Amino acid sequence: MCSSIETCPRVGNGYDVHALKEGLPMRLCGVDIPSAKGFVAHSDGDVAIHALCDALLGAAALGDIGLHFPDSDPRYKGIDSTKLLEEVVGMITGEADQTYRIVNVDITIALQEPKLRPHIDLMRQTLASVMNIDKSQVSVKATTTERLGFVGRGEGCEVWASAMIVPVTVR
Ligand code: MG
């Protein structure tokens, strides 16, 4: 048990959706996925990393991804989302008034196709190395929506993420 609120673990959640379009690239959790459709986006469209960034920022009450990386800013056009995740991890674990350690993250990707199972291991490994944590601290899960809704019709991809962080210093 944590003895005071300043030392307690903190939880955050994140959610993101991107539309799918024929002929565009699909990247999820930093991994290129062979697919007939890919993401319509200002960045590389890595909807899983965007949800994860929001979960981490939420755990630290540091706002959201749109606040830190506005899609009106040309600097973020086509950006590799692993760079955004690196920056978010830096805000949370780097030099700041309050710094944290990442305990674990958990991601659920809803996508009708393709099947993501063959890519899950590399996704976990990729996220772990970007966040400088162990693969055992990173969970990535995938589901279809049984052909229901916009995900089921192949119009988009929906992602939920959770993150737990624990304070390491109070300066
Ligand atoms: Mg997004």
Side-chain angles (χ1 to χ4, degrees):
M1 259 314 268
C2 45
S3 53
S4 70
I5 206 77
E6 288 77 23
T7 60
C8 285
R10 298 170 61 103
V11 68
N13 72 79
Y15 170 74
D16 199 18
V17 170
H18 278 263
L20 286 165
K21 198 177 159 192
E22 300 278 349
L24 291 176
M26 177 181 287
R27 188 181 291 167
L28 285 167
C29 300
V31 175
D32 291 315
I33 311 291
S35 168
K37 293 180 181 175
F39 297 121
V40 180
H42 182 71
S43 66
D44 66 358
D46 195 327
V47 57
I49 287 188
H50 299 172
L52 176 57
C53 286
D54 267 358
L56 289 164
L57 289 168
L62 285 175
D64 61 37
I65 193 172
L67 175 75
H68 296 285
F69 314 107
D71 64 8
S72 54
D73 190 330
R75 271 183 304 166
Y76 303 121
K77 186 154 176 50
I79 195 170
D80 177 348
S81 292
T82 60
K83 300 280 174 257
L84 305 181
L85 179 57
E86 243 170 48
E87 278 201 44
V88 166
V89 169
M91 286 177 214
I92 287 164
T93 65
E95 294 299 312
D97 290 343
Q98 175 67 66
T99 65
Y100 303 90
R101 217 153 26 107
I102 297 167
V103 178
N104 72 303
V105 303
D106 185 25
I107 296 169
T108 301
I109 303 169
L111 181 70
Q112 192 59 45
E113 51 193 17
K115 287 269 177 269
L116 295 179
R117 190 169 305 276
H119 308 287
I120 296 284
D121 201 60
L122 184 57
M123 288 176 172
R124 291 177 62 208
Q125 189 56 62
T126 301
L127 293 179
S129 77
V130 172
M131 290 187 284
N132 256 315
I133 58 178
D134 193 78
K135 192 175 138 192
S136 65
Q137 294 165 273
V138 180
S139 163
V140 178
K141 315 189 300 298
T143 184
T144 70
T145 60
E146 302 288 345
R147 305 217 166 265
L148 294 170
F150 72 85
V151 171
R153 291 190 296 270
E155 295 168 6
C157 176
E158 196 169 25
V159 180
W160 297 262
S162 303
M164 182 165 281
I165 61 176
V166 65
V168 284
T169 53
V170 182
R171 290 204 182 93

